[in-house]
Amino acid sequence: MSWESRADRINRDLPVYVWSQIADDLRADIESGELSPGQRLPSGPELAEIYGVTKVTATKAIRHLQEAGLLTVVNGMGTYVTAA
């Protein structure tokens, strides 16, 4: 999977949090199989750059998907897809 810019997937005019839009975008990739179990995601700072947001915003999206059981964060190792 290519991780080119995804800033165009964020609509700042919507009454939806940006972190939620990122989480929804990543969730869609997981559910479609584009991101498969065991696949490593870019780091928080890398995701922030990819989506054109702050690191805090990207981290909140990752945390949301982790709490939903879709991602596993291993400190010092990375963030991995855990479910489809």
Side-chain angles (χ1 to χ4, degrees), residues 2-44:
S2 176
W3 286 101
E4 67 278 345
S5 175
R6 290 180 167 213
D8 62 333
R9 298 183 184 195
I10 303 301
N11 185 341
R12 297 175 194 282
D13 295 328
L14 291 177
V16 177
Y17 291 115
V18 171
W19 67 263
S20 182
Q21 292 180 53
I22 295 169
D24 289 345
D25 188 52
L26 293 172
R27 180 189 304 268
D29 286 345
I30 292 168
E31 290 175 351
S32 74
E34 191 168 343
L35 289 172
S36 55
Q39 187 169 349
R40 187 177 182 274
L41 268 62
S43 68

Side-chain angles (χ1 to χ4, degrees), residues 49-65:
E49 185 175 328
I50 289 165
Y51 281 99
V53 298
T54 67
K55 182 182 175 225
V56 171
T57 300
T59 300
K60 185 156 183 157
I62 291 168
R63 187 174 307 122
H64 178 75
L65 292 174

